[in-house]
Amino acid sequence: MVATRFKMAASALLIAATGTAVARHVVHAPVVLRTAPRLPQTQAVFSGYVAAKKIPGVVGVIGRGNAPFAVVAAGRIGDEPGAPLADKDSLWRVYSMTKPITAMAAMILIEEGKMRLDQPVSDFIPAFKTMRVQVSPDSLDTRAATRPITIRNLLTHTAGLGYTIITKGPLLKAYEDAGITPFTSDAKTEAQLRLKRPPTLEAFANKVATLPLIAEPGTKWSYSIGLDVMGRVIEVASHQPFDRFLQTRIFTPLKMRSSWFTVPGSEAHRLATGYFITPNGRTPVDPGATSVYLKAPSFPYGGAGLVTSAYDYDRFLHMLQNGGTLDGVRILKPATVKLAMSNLLPNGVVYPGAVAATGGTTNPQGFGAGGSVTLHDTPGGPAKGTYAGAALPARSPGSIRSISSARRSWSTICRAIAGRCAPIRPRRSMPTSLRCCHTSERGGDADTRLYRRPARPRRCAAPRRSRARRCPERLARAAAQARKFRA
Protein backbone atom coordinates (compact mmCIF):
# COMPACT_ATOMS: atom_id res chain seq x y z
CA MET A 1 0.00 0.00 0.00
CA VAL A 2 1.27 3.48 -0.88
CA ALA A 3 0.53 6.35 1.46
CA THR A 4 1.76 9.89 1.94
CA ARG A 5 2.13 11.55 5.30
CA PHE A 6 2.73 15.27 5.58
CA LYS A 7 3.23 17.17 8.80
CA MET A 8 4.36 20.70 9.64
CA ALA A 9 4.64 22.60 12.87
CA ALA A 10 5.36 26.26 13.51
CA SER A 11 5.65 28.45 16.58
CA ALA A 12 2.82 31.04 16.47
CA LEU A 13 1.39 29.11 13.52
CA LEU A 14 1.61 25.40 14.13
CA ILE A 15 1.20 23.43 10.98
CA ALA A 16 1.25 19.66 10.93
CA ALA A 17 0.39 17.57 7.93
CA THR A 18 0.64 13.85 7.69
CA GLY A 19 -0.84 11.37 5.26
CA THR A 20 -2.35 7.92 5.11
CA ALA A 21 -4.76 5.72 3.20
CA VAL A 22 -6.47 2.45 3.91
CA ALA A 23 -10.09 2.49 2.85
CA ARG A 24 -10.92 1.63 -0.73
CA HIS A 25 -9.82 -1.54 -2.42
CA VAL A 26 -8.08 0.23 -5.28
CA VAL A 27 -5.07 -1.26 -7.03
CA HIS A 28 -2.13 1.11 -7.42
CA ALA A 29 1.34 0.52 -8.76
CA PRO A 30 3.75 0.04 -5.85
CA VAL A 31 6.13 2.83 -5.03
CA VAL A 32 9.47 1.93 -3.43
CA LEU A 33 11.49 4.70 -1.78
CA ARG A 34 14.79 3.81 -0.13
CA THR A 35 15.84 7.34 0.81
CA ALA A 36 13.96 10.35 2.10
CA PRO A 37 12.77 12.63 -0.72
CA ARG A 38 14.23 16.07 -1.27
CA LEU A 39 11.56 18.79 -1.26
CA PRO A 40 13.15 22.08 -2.38
CA GLN A 41 9.84 23.78 -3.14
CA THR A 42 8.45 22.97 0.29
CA GLN A 43 11.70 24.20 1.82
CA ALA A 44 11.36 27.45 -0.12
CA VAL A 45 7.83 27.99 1.22
CA PHE A 46 8.93 27.37 4.81
CA SER A 47 11.99 29.57 4.50
CA GLY A 48 9.92 32.30 2.88
CA TYR A 49 7.55 32.54 5.83
CA VAL A 50 10.43 32.74 8.27
CA ALA A 51 12.27 35.33 6.15
CA ALA A 52 9.09 37.42 5.97
CA LYS A 53 8.90 37.23 9.78
CA LYS A 54 5.43 35.72 9.66
CA ILE A 55 6.55 32.95 12.02
CA PRO A 56 9.74 32.30 14.03
CA GLY A 57 10.09 28.76 12.74
CA VAL A 58 8.45 25.78 11.08
CA VAL A 59 9.22 22.09 10.65
CA GLY A 60 7.73 19.49 8.35
CA VAL A 61 7.95 15.72 8.56
CA ILE A 62 6.95 14.26 5.20
CA GLY A 63 6.70 10.53 4.55
CA ARG A 64 5.42 8.15 1.91
CA GLY A 65 4.34 4.67 2.91
CA ASN A 66 6.92 3.00 5.13
CA ALA A 67 9.89 4.68 3.41
CA PRO A 68 12.24 7.01 5.32
CA PHE A 69 10.57 10.35 5.99
CA ALA A 70 11.96 13.75 5.06
CA VAL A 71 12.35 16.59 7.54
CA VAL A 72 11.95 20.11 6.17
CA ALA A 73 12.59 22.90 8.66
CA ALA A 74 13.26 26.63 8.82
CA GLY A 75 13.81 29.09 11.64
CA ARG A 76 13.69 28.57 15.40
CA ILE A 77 11.09 27.72 18.02
CA GLY A 78 11.06 31.27 19.36
CA ASP A 79 12.42 34.78 18.97
CA GLU A 80 14.45 34.55 22.17
CA PRO A 81 18.24 34.80 21.79
CA GLY A 82 19.69 31.34 21.48
CA ALA A 83 16.34 29.66 20.83
CA PRO A 84 16.89 26.17 19.34
CA LEU A 85 16.33 25.48 15.67
CA ALA A 86 12.97 23.96 14.83
CA ASP A 87 13.22 20.24 14.13
CA LYS A 88 11.14 17.05 14.21
CA ASP A 89 11.54 16.78 17.98
CA SER A 90 10.48 20.36 18.80
CA LEU A 91 7.40 20.50 21.03
CA TRP A 92 4.20 22.27 20.00
CA ARG A 93 0.87 22.98 21.67
CA VAL A 94 -1.37 21.05 19.29
CA TYR A 95 -4.68 22.24 20.80
CA SER A 96 -7.49 20.72 18.72
CA MET A 97 -5.15 18.12 17.26
CA THR A 98 -5.82 16.44 20.62
CA LYS A 99 -9.35 15.62 19.43
CA PRO A 100 -8.51 12.83 16.94
CA ILE A 101 -6.35 11.10 19.55
CA THR A 102 -9.22 11.21 22.06
CA ALA A 103 -11.62 10.01 19.37
CA MET A 104 -9.42 7.02 18.50
CA ALA A 105 -9.11 6.20 22.20
CA ALA A 106 -12.91 6.01 22.28
CA MET A 107 -12.84 3.78 19.19
CA ILE A 108 -10.56 1.34 21.06
CA LEU A 109 -13.26 0.92 23.70
CA ILE A 110 -15.98 0.61 21.05
CA GLU A 111 -13.94 -2.14 19.40
CA GLU A 112 -13.63 -3.92 22.73
CA GLY A 113 -17.38 -3.74 23.35
CA LYS A 114 -17.04 -1.49 26.40
CA MET A 115 -19.21 1.16 24.78
CA ARG A 116 -21.37 1.44 21.66
CA LEU A 117 -21.71 4.25 19.14
CA ASP A 118 -25.36 4.82 19.88
CA GLN A 119 -25.20 4.14 23.62
CA PRO A 120 -26.46 6.98 25.84
CA VAL A 121 -23.73 8.96 27.57
CA SER A 122 -25.84 8.77 30.74
CA ASP A 123 -24.88 5.09 31.03
CA PHE A 124 -21.41 6.35 31.94
CA ILE A 125 -22.21 9.78 33.40
CA PRO A 126 -25.65 9.65 35.10
CA ALA A 127 -25.83 13.45 35.29
CA PHE A 128 -26.61 13.46 31.55
CA LYS A 129 -29.81 11.46 32.09
CA THR A 130 -32.16 14.46 31.97
CA MET A 131 -30.88 17.24 29.74
CA ARG A 132 -32.61 20.49 28.83
CA VAL A 133 -32.45 22.43 25.57
CA GLN A 134 -32.17 26.19 25.17
CA VAL A 135 -35.40 27.58 23.68
CA SER A 136 -33.77 30.70 22.26
CA PRO A 137 -30.11 31.80 21.93
CA ASP A 138 -31.14 35.09 23.52
CA SER A 139 -32.17 33.58 26.85
CA LEU A 140 -31.55 30.65 29.17
CA ASP A 141 -35.18 29.49 29.01
CA THR A 142 -35.21 25.76 28.43
CA ARG A 143 -37.38 22.75 27.64
CA ALA A 144 -36.79 19.06 28.26
CA ALA A 145 -34.68 17.25 25.66
CA THR A 146 -36.59 14.52 23.82
CA ARG A 147 -33.62 12.29 23.03
CA PRO A 148 -30.44 11.31 24.89
CA ILE A 149 -26.88 12.36 24.07
CA THR A 150 -25.01 9.37 22.63
CA ILE A 151 -21.36 8.41 22.13
CA ARG A 152 -21.85 9.15 18.42
CA ASN A 153 -23.00 12.67 19.30
CA LEU A 154 -19.88 13.39 21.36
CA LEU A 155 -17.58 12.13 18.59
CA THR A 156 -19.30 14.16 15.87
CA HIS A 157 -20.11 17.44 17.66
CA THR A 158 -23.86 16.76 17.48
CA ALA A 159 -24.53 16.50 21.23
CA GLY A 160 -25.84 20.06 21.47
CA LEU A 161 -22.96 21.10 23.73
CA GLY A 162 -21.39 24.55 23.46
CA TYR A 163 -17.81 25.87 23.33
CA THR A 164 -16.65 29.20 24.73
CA ILE A 165 -14.74 29.94 21.52
CA ILE A 166 -17.97 29.99 19.47
CA THR A 167 -20.92 30.10 21.89
CA LYS A 168 -22.54 33.51 22.29
CA GLY A 169 -25.13 35.32 24.41
CA PRO A 170 -26.37 34.21 27.82
CA LEU A 171 -25.14 30.64 27.34
CA LEU A 172 -21.57 31.84 26.86
CA LYS A 173 -21.72 33.66 30.19
CA ALA A 174 -23.21 30.55 31.81
CA TYR A 175 -20.30 28.46 30.50
CA GLU A 176 -17.75 30.98 31.75
CA ASP A 177 -19.41 31.30 35.15
CA ALA A 178 -19.43 27.50 35.47
CA GLY A 179 -15.74 27.30 34.54
CA ILE A 180 -16.34 25.24 31.39
CA THR A 181 -13.04 26.34 29.87
CA PRO A 182 -11.02 23.19 29.03
CA PHE A 183 -7.93 24.78 27.52
CA THR A 184 -4.69 26.49 28.51
CA SER A 185 -3.08 29.50 26.83
CA ASP A 186 -0.79 31.36 29.23
CA ALA A 187 -0.08 31.64 32.95
CA LYS A 188 -2.04 34.85 33.55
CA THR A 189 -5.18 33.63 31.82
CA GLU A 190 -4.89 30.21 33.40
CA ALA A 191 -4.78 31.70 36.91
CA GLN A 192 -8.11 33.43 36.28
CA LEU A 193 -9.78 30.41 34.66
CA ARG A 194 -8.80 28.10 37.51
CA LEU A 195 -10.80 30.20 39.96
CA LYS A 196 -14.00 28.78 38.45
CA ARG A 197 -12.97 25.69 36.48
CA PRO A 198 -13.96 22.34 38.09
CA PRO A 199 -10.86 20.66 39.60
CA THR A 200 -11.38 17.18 38.11
CA LEU A 201 -12.61 15.65 34.89
CA GLU A 202 -15.49 14.03 36.74
CA ALA A 203 -16.59 17.36 38.25
CA PHE A 204 -16.19 19.04 34.87
CA ALA A 205 -18.45 16.53 33.10
CA ASN A 206 -21.08 16.72 35.84
CA LYS A 207 -21.06 20.52 35.65
CA VAL A 208 -21.50 20.43 31.86
CA ALA A 209 -24.62 18.31 32.36
CA THR A 210 -26.26 21.12 34.35
CA LEU A 211 -26.07 23.60 31.44
CA PRO A 212 -28.63 23.94 28.62
CA LEU A 213 -27.95 22.39 25.23
CA ILE A 214 -27.91 24.66 22.18
CA ALA A 215 -29.96 22.12 20.18
CA GLU A 216 -31.67 18.77 20.51
CA PRO A 217 -29.03 16.00 20.51
CA GLY A 218 -28.42 14.52 17.08
CA THR A 219 -30.07 17.34 15.13
CA LYS A 220 -27.31 19.91 14.53
CA TRP A 221 -23.53 20.01 14.04
CA SER A 222 -21.87 22.56 16.31
CA TYR A 223 -18.20 22.63 17.34
CA SER A 224 -18.15 21.72 21.00
CA ILE A 225 -16.53 20.35 24.16
CA GLY A 226 -17.80 16.90 23.20
CA LEU A 227 -14.31 15.37 23.10
CA ASP A 228 -13.54 16.82 26.53
CA VAL A 229 -16.63 15.11 27.95
CA MET A 230 -15.54 11.98 26.07
CA GLY A 231 -12.41 11.97 28.23
CA ARG A 232 -14.60 11.30 31.27
CA VAL A 233 -16.57 8.61 29.41
CA ILE A 234 -13.27 6.89 28.60
CA GLU A 235 -12.32 7.00 32.28
CA VAL A 236 -15.55 5.32 33.35
CA ALA A 237 -15.58 2.73 30.56
CA SER A 238 -11.91 1.79 30.95
CA HIS A 239 -11.76 2.05 34.78
CA GLN A 240 -8.59 4.14 34.64
CA PRO A 241 -7.69 7.84 34.37
CA PHE A 242 -8.05 9.33 30.90
CA ASP A 243 -4.42 10.40 30.57
CA ARG A 244 -3.21 6.98 31.72
CA PHE A 245 -5.42 5.30 29.13
CA LEU A 246 -3.87 7.41 26.36
CA GLN A 247 -0.40 6.63 27.67
CA THR A 248 -0.85 2.87 27.96
CA ARG A 249 -3.02 2.25 24.89
CA ILE A 250 -1.66 4.78 22.36
CA PHE A 251 1.49 6.70 23.34
CA THR A 252 3.60 3.88 24.79
CA PRO A 253 2.72 1.24 22.16
CA LEU A 254 3.41 3.74 19.34
CA LYS A 255 6.63 4.96 21.01
CA MET A 256 5.27 8.50 21.14
CA ARG A 257 7.76 9.60 23.78
CA SER A 258 7.18 13.35 23.42
CA SER A 259 3.43 13.57 23.99
CA TRP A 260 2.17 14.98 27.28
CA PHE A 261 -0.54 17.01 28.99
CA THR A 262 2.24 18.28 31.29
CA VAL A 263 5.68 18.88 29.76
CA PRO A 264 8.52 17.62 31.98
CA GLY A 265 10.84 20.40 33.13
CA SER A 266 13.78 18.60 31.53
CA GLU A 267 12.12 19.03 28.12
CA ALA A 268 11.26 22.73 28.41
CA HIS A 269 14.11 23.66 26.07
CA ARG A 270 12.23 21.93 23.22
CA LEU A 271 8.90 23.73 23.73
CA ALA A 272 8.08 26.48 21.23
CA THR A 273 7.03 29.90 22.48
CA GLY A 274 3.37 30.81 22.05
CA TYR A 275 2.56 34.17 20.47
CA PHE A 276 -0.35 36.54 20.19
CA ILE A 277 -0.63 37.80 16.60
CA THR A 278 -1.41 41.49 16.13
CA PRO A 279 -1.40 43.80 13.08
CA ASN A 280 1.97 45.09 14.26
CA GLY A 281 3.59 41.71 14.68
CA ARG A 282 3.65 39.03 17.35
CA THR A 283 3.83 39.26 21.12
CA PRO A 284 5.06 36.31 23.22
CA VAL A 285 2.41 35.16 25.69
CA ASP A 286 3.79 31.79 26.79
CA PRO A 287 7.59 31.43 26.53
CA GLY A 288 8.64 27.82 26.28
CA ALA A 289 11.16 28.01 29.12
CA THR A 290 8.52 29.15 31.63
CA SER A 291 5.41 27.82 29.90
CA VAL A 292 2.18 27.15 31.75
CA TYR A 293 2.37 23.69 30.15
CA LEU A 294 5.20 22.84 32.55
CA LYS A 295 2.55 22.67 35.30
CA ALA A 296 -0.25 20.13 35.49
CA PRO A 297 -3.61 21.31 34.10
CA SER A 298 -6.79 21.13 36.15
CA PHE A 299 -7.41 17.81 34.40
CA PRO A 300 -6.43 16.33 31.01
CA TYR A 301 -8.34 18.17 28.27
CA GLY A 302 -9.43 15.69 25.59
CA GLY A 303 -10.27 18.46 23.17
CA ALA A 304 -7.27 20.79 23.33
CA GLY A 305 -4.72 19.79 25.95
CA LEU A 306 -1.80 17.93 24.40
CA VAL A 307 1.76 19.00 23.64
CA THR A 308 3.62 16.82 21.15
CA SER A 309 6.25 16.78 18.40
CA ALA A 310 5.92 16.49 14.64
CA TYR A 311 7.65 13.12 14.89
CA ASP A 312 5.23 11.80 17.52
CA TYR A 313 2.10 12.94 15.76
CA ASP A 314 3.40 11.37 12.58
CA ARG A 315 3.63 8.06 14.46
CA PHE A 316 -0.05 8.33 15.40
CA LEU A 317 -1.11 9.17 11.85
CA HIS A 318 1.12 6.48 10.37
CA MET A 319 -0.71 3.96 12.54
CA LEU A 320 -4.02 5.07 11.06
CA GLN A 321 -2.49 4.91 7.59
CA ASN A 322 -1.64 1.26 8.19
CA GLY A 323 -5.15 0.36 9.30
CA GLY A 324 -4.44 0.52 13.02
CA THR A 325 -0.96 -1.07 13.13
CA LEU A 326 2.57 0.34 13.29
CA ASP A 327 5.86 -1.55 13.66
CA GLY A 328 4.01 -4.76 14.39
CA VAL A 329 1.91 -3.24 17.20
CA ARG A 330 -1.86 -3.15 16.70
CA ILE A 331 -3.83 -0.29 18.24
CA LEU A 332 -7.07 -0.77 16.30
CA LYS A 333 -8.49 -3.25 13.82
CA PRO A 334 -8.74 -2.10 10.19
CA ALA A 335 -12.54 -2.19 10.39
CA THR A 336 -12.43 0.13 13.40
CA VAL A 337 -10.17 2.64 11.63
CA LYS A 338 -12.45 2.49 8.61
CA LEU A 339 -15.50 3.13 10.76
CA ALA A 340 -13.84 6.01 12.62
CA MET A 341 -13.06 7.82 9.37
CA SER A 342 -16.51 7.31 7.83
CA ASN A 343 -19.52 9.59 8.02
CA LEU A 344 -20.96 9.00 11.49
CA LEU A 345 -23.38 11.94 11.53
CA PRO A 346 -26.96 11.17 12.52
CA ASN A 347 -29.35 10.99 9.59
CA GLY A 348 -30.25 14.41 8.24
CA VAL A 349 -27.29 16.24 9.85
CA VAL A 350 -24.55 17.86 7.75
CA TYR A 351 -21.28 19.42 8.84
CA PRO A 352 -21.46 22.94 7.32
CA GLY A 353 -17.70 23.25 6.75
CA ALA A 354 -14.86 25.21 8.31
CA VAL A 355 -14.58 28.96 8.56
CA ALA A 356 -13.00 30.19 5.31
CA ALA A 357 -10.31 32.29 7.06
CA THR A 358 -8.82 29.17 8.64
CA GLY A 359 -7.88 27.62 5.32
CA GLY A 360 -10.33 24.71 5.64
CA THR A 361 -12.93 23.75 3.07
CA THR A 362 -16.29 25.48 3.49
CA ASN A 363 -18.37 22.92 1.57
CA PRO A 364 -21.04 20.95 3.48
CA GLN A 365 -19.65 17.60 4.59
CA GLY A 366 -20.18 14.60 6.79
CA PHE A 367 -18.30 14.00 10.01
CA GLY A 368 -16.54 10.98 11.52
CA ALA A 369 -14.82 10.35 14.85
CA GLY A 370 -13.31 13.78 15.45
CA GLY A 371 -13.02 14.74 11.77
CA SER A 372 -15.04 15.74 8.72
CA VAL A 373 -15.82 13.48 5.76
CA THR A 374 -16.15 15.02 2.28
CA LEU A 375 -19.30 13.79 0.55
CA HIS A 376 -18.71 15.19 -2.93
CA ASP A 377 -15.69 15.89 -5.11
CA THR A 378 -14.56 19.50 -4.90
CA PRO A 379 -12.80 20.99 -7.97
CA GLY A 380 -9.34 22.01 -6.82
CA GLY A 381 -10.10 20.77 -3.32
CA PRO A 382 -10.64 17.60 -1.32
CA ALA A 383 -12.01 14.52 -3.06
CA LYS A 384 -15.11 12.60 -2.14
CA GLY A 385 -14.34 10.51 0.93
CA THR A 386 -11.74 12.87 2.41
CA TYR A 387 -11.48 12.61 6.19
CA ALA A 388 -10.23 15.82 7.81
CA GLY A 389 -10.40 17.80 11.03
CA ALA A 390 -12.47 20.91 11.58
CA ALA A 391 -10.57 24.18 11.40
CA LEU A 392 -11.67 26.75 13.92
CA PRO A 393 -12.77 30.36 13.76
CA ALA A 394 -10.40 33.29 14.12
CA ARG A 395 -8.90 33.87 17.59
CA SER A 396 -8.69 30.19 18.35
CA PRO A 397 -6.48 27.18 17.76
CA GLY A 398 -7.48 24.91 14.93
CA SER A 399 -6.55 22.01 12.74
CA ILE A 400 -7.13 20.38 9.43
CA ARG A 401 -6.40 16.69 9.04
CA SER A 402 -7.11 14.34 6.18
CA ILE A 403 -6.67 10.75 5.07
CA SER A 404 -7.07 9.54 1.49
CA SER A 405 -7.79 6.36 -0.36
CA ALA A 406 -8.21 8.04 -3.73
CA ARG A 407 -4.51 8.95 -3.78
CA ARG A 408 -3.39 6.69 -0.97
CA SER A 409 -2.37 9.72 1.04
CA TRP A 410 -3.32 11.69 4.08
CA SER A 411 -2.41 15.05 5.51
CA THR A 412 -2.73 16.95 8.74
CA ILE A 413 -2.48 20.71 8.83
CA CYS A 414 -2.62 22.08 12.34
CA ARG A 415 -2.66 25.74 13.31
CA ALA A 416 -2.17 26.95 16.85
CA ILE A 417 -2.57 30.69 17.15
CA ALA A 418 -3.06 32.73 20.26
CA GLY A 419 -4.83 35.78 18.94
CA ARG A 420 -5.57 36.83 15.41
CA CYS A 421 -5.75 34.23 12.66
CA ALA A 422 -3.01 34.34 10.03
CA PRO A 423 -3.22 31.03 8.19
CA ILE A 424 -0.48 29.67 5.98
CA ARG A 425 -1.90 28.99 2.55
CA PRO A 426 0.23 26.39 0.75
CA ARG A 427 1.29 26.93 -2.83
CA ARG A 428 0.32 24.45 -5.50
CA SER A 429 3.84 23.05 -5.40
CA MET A 430 3.38 21.86 -1.82
CA PRO A 431 2.30 18.24 -1.28
CA THR A 432 -1.17 19.08 -0.02
CA SER A 433 -3.51 16.78 -1.91
CA LEU A 434 -6.08 16.10 0.77
CA ARG A 435 -7.59 12.97 -0.75
CA CYS A 436 -8.85 10.83 2.01
CA CYS A 437 -10.26 7.78 3.59
CA HIS A 438 -13.74 6.91 2.34
CA THR A 439 -16.01 4.41 3.99
CA SER A 440 -19.61 5.52 3.72
CA GLU A 441 -21.45 8.60 2.51
CA ARG A 442 -24.45 7.86 4.65
CA GLY A 443 -24.72 8.65 8.30
CA GLY A 444 -26.61 6.95 11.06
CA ASP A 445 -26.84 3.19 11.39
CA ALA A 446 -25.38 2.55 7.95
CA ASP A 447 -21.88 2.86 9.40
CA THR A 448 -22.45 0.51 12.33
CA ARG A 449 -22.71 -2.43 9.94
CA LEU A 450 -18.94 -2.73 10.25
CA TYR A 451 -19.57 -3.97 13.76
CA ARG A 452 -22.38 -6.37 13.09
CA ARG A 453 -21.57 -10.04 12.99
CA PRO A 454 -21.13 -11.41 9.47
CA ALA A 455 -24.34 -12.94 8.19
CA ARG A 456 -24.47 -16.70 8.28
CA PRO A 457 -23.71 -18.17 4.87
CA ARG A 458 -26.94 -18.87 3.04
CA ARG A 459 -27.53 -22.40 1.99
CA CYS A 460 -27.35 -22.92 -1.70
CA ALA A 461 -30.83 -23.63 -2.96
CA ALA A 462 -30.11 -23.12 -6.63
CA PRO A 463 -31.47 -25.91 -8.82
CA ARG A 464 -28.75 -25.53 -11.42
CA ARG A 465 -25.83 -27.94 -11.07
CA SER A 466 -23.26 -25.27 -11.97
CA ARG A 467 -24.39 -23.06 -9.11
CA ALA A 468 -24.62 -26.01 -6.76
CA ARG A 469 -21.01 -26.93 -7.51
CA ARG A 470 -19.88 -23.42 -6.56
CA CYS A 471 -21.85 -23.35 -3.34
CA PRO A 472 -19.32 -25.20 -1.10
CA GLU A 473 -16.59 -22.81 -2.19
CA ARG A 474 -18.74 -19.81 -1.34
CA LEU A 475 -19.56 -21.27 2.07
CA ALA A 476 -15.88 -21.91 2.78
CA ARG A 477 -14.93 -18.36 1.81
CA ALA A 478 -17.67 -16.87 3.99
CA ALA A 479 -16.62 -19.00 6.96
CA ALA A 480 -12.99 -17.90 6.54
CA GLN A 481 -14.06 -14.25 6.42
CA ALA A 482 -16.13 -14.71 9.59
CA ARG A 483 -13.19 -16.29 11.43
CA LYS A 484 -10.91 -13.45 10.29
CA PHE A 485 -13.43 -10.84 11.47
CA ARG A 486 -13.76 -12.44 14.91
CA ALA A 487 -9.96 -12.60 15.24
Side-chain angles (χ1 to χ4, degrees):
M1 180 188 297
V2 179
T4 300
R5 302 187 311 281
F6 180 70
K7 183 168 185 176
M8 300 177 287
S11 50
L13 283 185
L14 173 61
I15 302 184
T18 320
T20 184
V22 290
R24 293 179 189 164
H25 298 287
V26 181
V27 178
H28 293 270
V31 175
V32 179
L33 297 176
R34 300 190 183 280
T35 59
R38 299 182 62 184
L39 303 167
Q41 292 176 319
T42 303
Q43 182 68 69
V45 173
F46 285 10
S47 298
Y49 276 102
V50 173
K53 299 187 181 303
K54 293 182 178 180
I55 52 177
V58 59
V59 60
V61 174
I62 300 98
R64 186 181 181 95
N66 292 316
F69 58 78
V71 178
V72 182
R76 300 177 180 274
I77 63 174
D79 293 323
E80 301 89 350
L85 296 173
D87 61 27
K88 66 180 179 63
D89 295 316
S90 300
L91 298 177
W92 315 94
R93 303 157 188 77
V94 294
Y95 294 106
S96 286
M97 291 299 294
T98 306
K99 289 179 172 66
I101 294 178
T102 300
M104 294 307 161
M107 295 305 297
I108 291 174
L109 294 171
I110 290 174
E111 178 179 286
E112 295 176 347
K114 295 180 179 178
M115 68 171 73
R116 303 184 308 277
L117 265 179
D118 296 308
Q119 186 172 4
V121 172
S122 59
D123 287 357
F124 306 93
I125 310 175
F128 281 86
K129 185 71 173 180
T130 55
M131 298 299 295
R132 300 193 64 82
V133 182
Q134 195 177 18
V135 174
S136 167
D138 299 325
S139 74
L140 291 179
D141 294 339
T142 63
R143 60 173 177 78
T146 60
R147 60 178 75 181
I149 296 175
T150 65
I151 300 300
R152 182 191 299 269
N153 298 151
L154 293 183
L155 291 174
T156 59
H157 297 299
T158 56
L161 299 174
Y163 217 162
T164 54
I165 58 177
I166 62 169
T167 300
K168 300 177 181 178
L171 188 57
L172 171 60
K173 187 176 187 307
Y175 265 61
E176 292 173 339
D177 290 343
I180 307 305
T181 53
F183 64 88
T184 302
S185 59
D186 61 88
K188 183 178 179 180
T189 303
E190 178 65 10
Q192 293 299 315
L193 295 179
R194 284 203 181 214
L195 296 177
K196 296 181 179 180
R197 185 190 294 134
T200 66
L201 189 50
E202 178 182 8
F204 168 82
N206 288 335
K207 178 65 74 172
V208 170
T210 67
L211 297 169
L213 302 176
I214 64 170
E216 192 75 38
T219 63
K220 179 182 179 180
W221 188 95
S222 182
Y223 204 60
S224 72
I225 56 172
L227 275 302
D228 295 285
V229 175
M230 179 59 74
R232 176 55 184 167
V233 175
I234 290 172
E235 284 191 336
V236 176
S238 66
H239 303 290
Q240 61 180 301
F242 172 51
D243 52 349
R244 185 184 304 168
F245 184 86
L246 293 187
Q247 187 66 51
T248 57
R249 301 301 300 273
I250 296 179
F251 298 157
T252 297
L254 292 179
K255 299 179 181 178
M256 295 171 63
R257 301 187 177 100
S258 295
S259 299
W260 303 285
F261 287 102
T262 305
V263 179
S266 60
E267 307 299 330
H269 63 283
R270 292 198 281 148
L271 181 58
T273 292
Y275 292 89
F276 188 92
I277 306 301
T278 68
N280 299 322
R282 55 180 177 262
T283 301
V285 294
D286 190 38
T290 58
S291 174
V292 67
Y293 281 87
L294 299 176
K295 299 179 181 179
S298 300
F299 50 85
Y301 310 138
L306 281 173
V307 168
T308 189
S309 65
Y311 175 82
D312 266 26
Y313 210 94
D314 181 71
R315 298 280 299 174
F316 170 71
L317 298 177
H318 198 170
M319 175 273 293
L320 294 180
Q321 163 197 299
N322 290 345
T325 301
L326 185 63
D327 295 341
V329 176
R330 178 163 297 287
I331 305 299
L332 294 163
K333 293 180 180 179
T336 310
V337 174
K338 189 176 183 181
L339 174 64
M341 297 187 294
S342 68
N343 181 20
L344 299 177
L345 284 177
N347 290 322
V349 180
V350 175
Y351 165 52
V355 176
T358 64
T361 178
T362 56
N363 295 321
Q365 303 164 71
F367 212 84
S372 63
V373 178
T374 302
L375 303 180
H376 307 285
D377 286 334
T378 305
K384 179 180 178 180
T386 297
Y387 169 84
L392 303 183
R395 295 191 303 104
S396 59
S399 63
I400 305 171
R401 309 167 295 285
S402 59
I403 299 184
S404 171
S405 60
R407 290 191 180 179
R408 298 285 176 175
S409 65
W410 69 287
S411 306
T412 300
I413 299 177
C414 170
R415 304 185 310 101
I417 307 174
R420 190 174 159 208
C421 231
I424 288 182
R425 296 189 177 276
R427 300 175 183 174
R428 288 188 177 183
S429 60
M430 291 182 68
T432 55
S433 57
L434 304 182
R435 307 282 188 239
C436 288
C437 186
H438 171 75
T439 302
S440 170
E441 301 168 42
R442 294 172 292 181
D445 294 336
D447 299 302
T448 62
R449 287 178 294 184
L450 288 168
Y451 276 87
R452 294 176 183 168
R453 288 184 175 273
R456 293 183 178 180
R458 297 175 60 185
R459 293 186 177 182
C460 181
R464 292 184 300 176
R465 291 185 59 191
S466 60
R467 185 173 181 181
R469 283 196 298 269
R470 292 196 301 268
C471 189
E473 297 177 3
R474 297 208 318 272
L475 290 173
R477 286 197 300 270
Q481 291 174 353
R483 286 194 298 273
K484 182 178 180 181
F485 182 91
R486 287 194 294 270

